[in-house]
Amino acid sequence: MTEKTQITGRKFVFDFGDNAKYELNFVAEDKLEVTVVADASYPAGTLNKFDITRTQLRPDLYLVTWVEEDTGNTVTHVQDYENLTAYTNITDLASRSFWNLKGRIIPVHDH
């Protein structure tokens, strides 16, 4: 399979709603930096770094997973760059919750 949209080395804003916006920087095939834009639990500008597994399901469609080291929470994304849509599923161990969100992927164009 080929990659239509270049992901590695690029930044995207993932907008899941008013208090759930993040800038994802795919620094390597298996490395992700997430900067909080808006979140009810973390201050804007908070930077987290994750080791990720990214599986291409079809061109421009990826399954991306990681574990948040500080909380143990697991995150599973379905990232559809053809339709600029993202689905996230997050286990929150502290609250024993499971979140399912749908949002938009917004490419960031560095100047």
Side-chain angles (χ1 to χ4, degrees):
M1 280 189 252
T2 59
E3 186 177 80
K4 288 183 186 177
T5 302
Q6 176 65 34
I7 308 301
T8 304
R10 299 241 351 248
K11 296 178 185 178
F12 301 86
V13 171
F14 281 60
D15 183 351
F16 295 106
D18 288 340
N19 283 315
K21 293 180 186 165
Y22 312 90
E23 182 180 86
L24 277 65
N25 180 8
F26 294 90
V27 294
E29 185 70 27
D30 62 348
K31 302 284 184 202
L32 174 65
E33 295 180 352
V34 178
T35 303
V36 173
V37 176
D39 186 292
S41 302
Y42 297 95
T46 299
L47 173 65
N48 293 292
K49 297 179 182 185
F50 303 109
D51 293 326
I52 63 171
T53 300
R54 186 171 62 165
T55 305
Q56 186 176 30
L57 304 176
R58 67 160 164 74
D60 278 354
L61 182 66
Y62 297 89
L63 177 66
V64 181
T65 60
W66 66 88
V67 176
E68 297 179 345
E69 194 173 308
D70 60 335
T71 63
N73 295 344
T74 60
V75 180
T76 301
H77 272 200
V78 175
Q79 300 174 351
D80 182 347
Y81 290 91
E82 183 175 311
N83 297 299
L84 296 176
T85 303
Y87 301 86
T88 188
N89 300 281
I90 303 167
T91 58
D92 182 343
L93 298 180
S95 68
R96 302 174 75 84
S97 299
F98 185 62
W99 301 330
N100 308 99
L101 301 171
K102 178 182 178 184
R104 297 181 307 130
I105 299 173
I106 304 161
V108 173
H109 302 288
D110 291 323
H111 305 290

